[in-house]
Amino acid sequence: MLLSADASHHDDMVRQLIRIGFDRVHGFLAGGIEAWKSAGLPVEVTNRIGLDNLKEAHEESTAPMVIDVRQRNEFTEGHITGALNNELGELQDHLDGLPRELPLVTVCAAGMRATTAGSILQRDGRDNVQVVDEAGTPSWIERGYPSETGDE
């Protein structure tokens, strides 16, 4: 079930979900998230982090683990130095391999996949998750922040 404030986004949302292996969309909630909240139903919020704050955290000795959930070819073209590539469609299958003691930051190209990844990690019981929800890896590289190409 999808919650969207703008019905014009539904087709794009379904297309993106199918691309990552979620193909059982049962419908959309009329009125989106606002209708959900108005009904007094529970809401979880994912912590957000901007690129400048991520860069500061990235330079600390206790830096968070950055999980880049873009596709492998996007990742190899350029990514945040030290980021782990775990494609969104495969994240659920690799949760046991991710540390629970480290803070995690999810990132993609523009925020949609990173936000979905953050939700998956939270559903897995993790409370130390932050999401770069806009201006993702391409903007990081454009700013001249530490990046690299290739698989590692």
Side-chain angles (χ1 to χ4, degrees):
M1 180 69 65
L2 297 175
L3 305 172
S4 173
D6 186 346
S8 70
H9 295 151
H10 290 170
D11 288 342
D12 187 47
M13 292 169 70
V14 170
R15 194 171 21 264
Q16 292 291 331
L17 287 168
I18 289 170
R19 286 181 184 157
I20 63 169
F22 294 99
D23 58 0
R24 291 184 5 211
V25 177
H26 296 285
F28 307 93
L29 178 64
I33 190 69
E34 291 308 317
W36 183 271
K37 288 194 268 188
S38 294
L41 295 167
V43 176
E44 283 189 20
V45 178
T46 303
N47 294 322
R48 310 289 188 207
I49 186 169
L51 292 178
D52 294 334
N53 289 338
L54 177 57
K55 182 179 181 291
E56 289 177 22
H58 193 258
E59 295 170 346
E60 297 292 325
S61 60
T62 57
M65 174 180 274
V66 176
I67 303 172
D68 189 324
V69 295
R70 296 176 301 150
Q71 294 180 348
R72 171 74 56 196
N73 65 322
E74 294 175 280
F75 182 81
T76 59
E77 289 175 8
H79 56 271
I80 296 171
T81 300
L84 170 69
N85 182 225
N86 198 325
E87 292 184 25
L88 180 58
E90 299 173 359
L91 181 60
Q92 185 69 42
D93 296 333
H94 295 100
L95 292 173
D96 290 341
L98 297 175
R100 292 195 173 271
E101 67 280 359
L102 292 177
L104 304 174
V105 174
T106 60
V107 66
C108 64
M112 185 181 289
R113 291 174 284 180
T115 300
T116 303
S119 294
I120 291 169
L121 291 166
Q122 283 183 302
R123 188 178 65 213
D124 188 47
R126 297 163 189 270
D127 58 3
N128 58 350
V129 177
Q130 292 180 296
V131 174
V132 177
D133 65 348
E134 51 187 62
T137 301
S139 293
W140 174 278
I141 293 168
E142 287 173 13
R143 293 177 187 200
Y145 293 166
S147 64
E148 55 194 14
T149 59
D151 288 335
E152 300 286 327

